[in-house]
Amino acid sequence: LGVDDCRAAEGTVVQAGGRVCYGTFEMGPVGLSAVVEDPGGAVFHLLQPSDPQAATLPPRPGGWCWAQLMSTDRVRDQAFYKALLPWELHDMGPGQAAFVLEGQPLASVMQLPDPTVPRSHWLHYIAVDDVDATTARALELGARVLAPVQPAGDMGHFSVLQDTAGAAVALWT
């Protein structure tokens, strides 16, 4: 998540109930980063980019296009991210809200549908030209389907997969 001052953001993370896993470090020409955890256990990087414009590229096939916080406590986590970043919350329907910055939706937060999942986590979406074909190809390569291809209203179609290392990722058309 992009921030203006990585070290200051670390302090905000702690004040808002999160923790610093790995303090601010240099990522070469990319900028400064820190690894932090929100109160629900979702781990993410803070990034103070060397070039702020580099982080505003539009999504393209094969690139990251969306992130969704799958939360064990949506109210708590929404308050945490609002304390950390200048995000607004826009209701997206039952159990879900969009994080919006300057009128642009950036990510969303959703209450975890499975109460047995012990901690919050970020689910990342990859843009693909054909979610059906890409999901089928991922299965051939050893992925496991966590959520089959399905519509997301008028926004497109998605699936959620678990890769061979156990990480979850979503595909989006």
Side-chain angles (χ1 to χ4, degrees), residues 1-20 34-39 42-47 69 76-88 99 101 122:
L1 300 175
V3 296
D4 292 329
D5 183 330
C6 201
R7 287 179 179 86
E10 282 183 34
T12 304
V13 164
V14 173
Q15 288 175 337
R19 74 178 187 98
V20 176
V35 181
V36 297
E37 181 178 83
D38 73 18
V43 176
F44 61 96
H45 278 249
L46 298 171
L47 175 63
L69 178 63
R76 175 204 60 214
D77 291 341
Q78 286 175 174
F80 171 83
Y81 287 97
K82 281 189 59 83
L84 179 62
L85 300 160
W87 287 350
E88 296 175 21
F99 291 122
L101 178 63
W122 282 95

Side-chain angles (χ1 to χ4, degrees), residues 66 86-90 98-107:
W66 192 252
W87 287 350
E88 296 175 21
L89 282 166
H90 292 210
F99 291 122
V100 178
L101 178 63
E102 298 172 355
Q104 179 67 40
L106 301 175

Side-chain angles (χ1 to χ4, degrees), residues 4-172:
D4 292 329
D5 183 330
C6 201
R7 287 179 179 86
E10 282 183 34
T12 304
V13 164
V14 173
Q15 288 175 337
R19 74 178 187 98
V20 176
C21 303
Y22 192 88
T24 299
F25 60 95
E26 288 190 37
M27 289 183 59
V30 175
L32 298 176
S33 185
V35 181
V36 297
E37 181 178 83
D38 73 18
V43 176
F44 61 96
H45 278 249
L46 298 171
L47 175 63
Q48 179 184 331
S50 297
D51 178 6
Q53 294 302 317
T56 61
L57 298 173
R60 61 188 183 284
W64 300 107
C65 66
W66 192 252
Q68 186 169 42
L69 178 63
M70 306 300 288
S71 175
T72 57
D73 183 336
R74 183 178 153 211
V75 172
R76 175 204 60 214
D77 291 341
Q78 286 175 174
F80 171 83
Y81 287 97
K82 281 189 59 83
L84 179 62
L85 300 160
W87 287 350
E88 296 175 21
L89 282 166
H90 292 210
D91 185 47
M92 294 176 64
Q96 191 165 325
F99 291 122
V100 178
L101 178 63
E102 298 172 355
Q104 179 67 40
L106 301 175
S108 59
V109 57
M110 176 179 157
Q111 187 70 36
L112 272 164
D114 181 354
T116 65
V117 175
R119 59 189 294 156
S120 299
H121 61 276
W122 282 95
L123 177 63
H124 298 282
Y125 288 72
I126 300 172
V128 296
D129 288 325
D130 183 335
V131 71
D132 292 292
T134 307
T135 298
R137 179 67 180 135
L139 290 173
E140 291 171 6
L141 295 170
R144 191 178 83 142
V145 174
L146 299 177
V149 175
Q150 56 194 283
D154 60 355
M155 297 184 300
H157 289 78
F158 74 98
S159 66
V160 181
L161 306 172
Q162 184 176 49
D163 70 15
T164 55
V169 65
L171 303 176
W172 186 275

